[in-house]
Amino acid sequence: MANVVVVGSQWGDEGKGKIVDWLSSRADVVVRFQGGHNAGHTLVVDGITYKLSLLPSGVVRGGKLSVIGNGVVLDPWAFLSEVERIKDQGVLVTPENLMISESASLILPIHSELDGIRENRVDGIKIGTTKRGIGPAYEDKIARRAIRVCDLQDEKHLFSRLQNLLHHHNALRRGLGHPETNVDELHKKLLEIAPKIIPFISPVWKSLDEARQNDKKILFEGAQGAMLDIDHGTYPFVTSSNTIAGQAAAGSGVGPGTLNYILGITKAYTTRVGEGPFPTELEDSVGQRLGERGHEFGTVTGRQRRCGWFDAVMVNQAIITSGISGISLTKLDVLDGMKELKICIAYKLDGKIIKRLPANAAEQARVEPIYESLPGWKGSTRGARSWAELPAEAVKYVRRVEELIGCPVSMVSTSPEREDVILMRDPFKG
């Protein structure tokens, strides 16, 4: 049996939620391996819409084990709030169907406060974060001062760890002109919430190894997209973790040999939320039409997404850095009715033609897209579940995308509905 990793191949918001949900019906275990509650996955199941931020998409499917891996930064209050929210929709989350890695780092109120302080600088410079404390929490993890989930199990040890953490944060807060955080108050808040979190704590790496040995199918669910990767994305306008497929192993505690098939979720056009370079961005009526037809608003932030033509250069780069085996092309139906479509096949940088997105932020901002034009189609692709249902021009578009990105299309999603998928290759069969 193949274990599958699902990653975004653009700047996130590619439609991973639906595809992960579709795949989770075939999986036994679903694992979140990076990010925090800044991610947003929208699932539509039997007409009911679920909006998840931190919980693995498998929670809405009965009989699945969901896992929050060590690579995730966890806000315990946001976690419990999300559990309560989907409970009202009839989904029960218990320690029997969800486990949290004992070594996952916590997001505390000081992290979201610091995020907000930094994003509201008087000089106007910002990264465009969700202000949910993700970045500051990862900073503390790397600096070895983070509070981890396992620390909640020992009251005295927790207090000592908080003292060490606030030694850094209070100095920072003083320097930024903000009041210090009281260690006793923060300790009290964590002790109040700890009994609700502790039952979920588990040595995740061990449980995943047992699942692997018992031939269970494991689905690794990424957040954001490859171009938001801290190392391989459009730095500094990126998230604070590795979003490429290799993080699935490091962020959950399995060996890389466990990752059998990498599925890259790829939107049929391009979108981005927040700040940063966007070579194919359309600030005209075409871009507005894509946004309106695609309902392009962030699941978590509600911010309107920037829209543009498909960027084959960027997606090819993501395919290489993640080792993507096949892509799932989503939102093809949004392109219905457009007379002409364009695909970016290269960039022009300072008079030279290149086929990669430079690492330097200044150069990223200067690249100009070189387009290839394709005819659009008059018919509808919405709801199609076979190639025969697609207009000929839509098939040509998909095939040209394959050629330009150097990777086969394994699936095509034609609506938000879970079963509206054209399947060429089942990822779980390798």
Side-chain angles (χ1 to χ4, degrees):
M1 292 293 184
N3 296 319
V4 178
V5 182
V6 172
V7 292
S9 67
Q10 294 155 310
W11 279 296
D13 305 308
E14 300 97 347
K16 292 184 293 296
K18 170 194 167 170
I19 302 303
V20 167
D21 176 58
W22 189 89
L23 290 167
S24 69
S25 66
R26 293 153 173 78
D28 302 299
V29 184
V30 182
V31 185
R32 268 287 306 274
F33 58 84
Q34 53 79 216
H37 64 305
N38 57 339
H41 287 175
T42 301
L43 316 179
V44 180
V45 184
D46 298 329
I48 302 174
T49 299
Y50 301 93
K51 294 190 176 183
L52 305 179
S53 294
L54 182 61
L55 295 174
S57 298
V59 296
V60 301
R61 294 281 160 200
K64 312 293 178 185
L65 174 63
S66 292
V67 174
I68 295 177
N70 56 276
V72 174
V73 283
L74 184 136
D75 182 323
W77 295 276
F79 168 75
L80 292 175
S81 175
E82 192 168 324
V83 167
E84 285 300 312
R85 188 173 72 247
I86 67 168
K87 181 180 179 181
D88 292 339
Q89 293 183 283
V91 177
L92 191 62
V93 178
T94 71
E96 282 67 49
N97 63 15
L98 180 128
M99 58 176 62
I100 301 172
S101 170
E102 58 194 351
S103 54
S105 297
L106 294 179
I107 300 174
L108 305 177
I110 55 173
H111 294 128
S112 53
E113 289 169 14
L114 180 58
D115 225 354
I117 291 169
R118 288 172 170 171
E119 282 293 293
N120 293 307
R121 286 168 48 167
V122 293
D123 59 10
I125 296 175
K126 59 177 65 178
I127 296 298
T129 78
T130 57
K131 301 181 184 180
R132 299 199 168 199
I134 311 297
Y138 273 117
E139 288 178 38
D140 285 340
K141 175 180 179 176
I142 297 304
R144 296 164 293 182
R145 56 176 172 259
I147 306 301
R148 302 202 298 174
V149 172
C150 58
D151 295 331
L152 297 175
Q153 297 171 306
D154 187 322
E155 182 177 336
K156 290 184 178 180
H157 176 69
L158 176 61
F159 188 81
S160 174
R161 295 295 301 156
L162 285 172
Q163 285 181 312
N164 180 65
L165 178 66
L166 292 182
H167 176 75
H168 168 80
H169 274 270
N170 280 337
L172 193 58
R173 292 172 71 89
R174 287 194 302 271
L176 292 170
H178 289 264
E180 295 185 10
T181 295
N182 183 280
V183 66
D184 293 302
E185 291 180 4
L186 185 53
H187 188 227
K188 182 181 178 182
K189 286 181 180 179
L190 285 171
L191 290 180
E192 289 174 351
I193 204 169
K196 299 177 182 179
I197 301 296
I198 289 173
F200 293 96
I201 299 176
S202 174
V204 160
W205 62 271
K206 190 173 186 298
S207 298
L208 291 177
D209 183 60
E210 291 170 355
R212 181 187 63 81
Q213 292 192 43
N214 290 318
D215 290 327
K216 300 291 187 181
K217 288 180 284 188
I218 307 172
L219 179 62
F220 297 88
E221 174 186 8
Q224 290 91 36
M227 301 316 292
L228 291 175
D229 185 276
I230 188 69
D231 291 306
H232 302 284
T234 49
Y235 189 93
F237 303 100
V238 292
T239 194
S240 298
S241 61
N242 287 111
T243 60
I244 60 172
Q247 179 63 16
S252 58
V254 301
T258 304
L259 315 178
N260 305 122
Y261 191 94
I262 316 298
L263 183 67
I265 313 303
T266 308
K267 196 175 288 186
Y269 50 101
T270 311
T271 62
R272 177 166 199 167
V273 171
E275 309 296 322
F278 187 167
T280 65
E281 183 174 11
L282 296 170
E283 299 181 273
D284 56 14
S285 59
V286 177
Q288 184 177 353
R289 178 181 177 180
L290 289 172
E292 291 173 352
R293 293 200 58 178
H295 305 290
E296 296 296 350
F297 295 90
T299 301
V300 171
T301 64
R303 290 182 292 180
Q304 185 170 354
R305 298 178 187 132
R306 300 152 64 189
C307 298
W309 293 120
F310 187 85
D311 190 335
V313 179
M314 183 177 74
V315 173
N316 172 258
Q317 196 161 318
I319 285 167
I320 292 170
T321 56
S322 268
I324 290 173
S325 313
I327 70 164
S328 173
L329 194 66
T330 64
K331 290 200 168 184
L332 184 65
D333 56 301
V334 174
L335 302 180
D336 288 355
M338 300 186 75
K339 293 183 179 179
E340 181 186 40
L341 302 172
K342 293 184 180 181
I343 298 177
C344 175
I345 59 172
Y347 303 131
K348 183 181 288 186
L349 175 63
D350 301 333
K352 296 180 179 179
I353 295 177
I354 61 173
K355 291 193 175 182
R356 64 179 180 85
L357 191 60
N360 183 283
E363 291 184 342
Q364 289 172 359
R366 293 204 307 273
V367 297
E368 301 173 36
I370 298 174
Y371 289 116
E372 176 181 300
S373 295
L374 288 85
W377 52 87
K378 294 181 180 179
S380 174
T381 64
R382 189 172 180 84
R385 299 184 184 182
S386 70
W387 279 115
E389 297 176 62
L390 295 181
E393 293 82 0
V395 174
K396 290 178 182 177
Y397 182 81
V398 175
R399 293 306 188 200
R400 185 58 178 147
V401 164
E402 283 185 315
E403 292 173 358
L404 291 169
I405 64 176
C407 186
V409 173
S410 299
M411 308 166 65
V412 177
S413 172
T414 57
S415 93
E417 292 298 326
R418 180 172 172 268
E419 297 301 328
D420 288 344
V421 171
I422 301 171
L423 179 66
M424 281 74 77
R425 182 176 183 181
D426 187 338
F428 277 118
K429 294 182 179 178

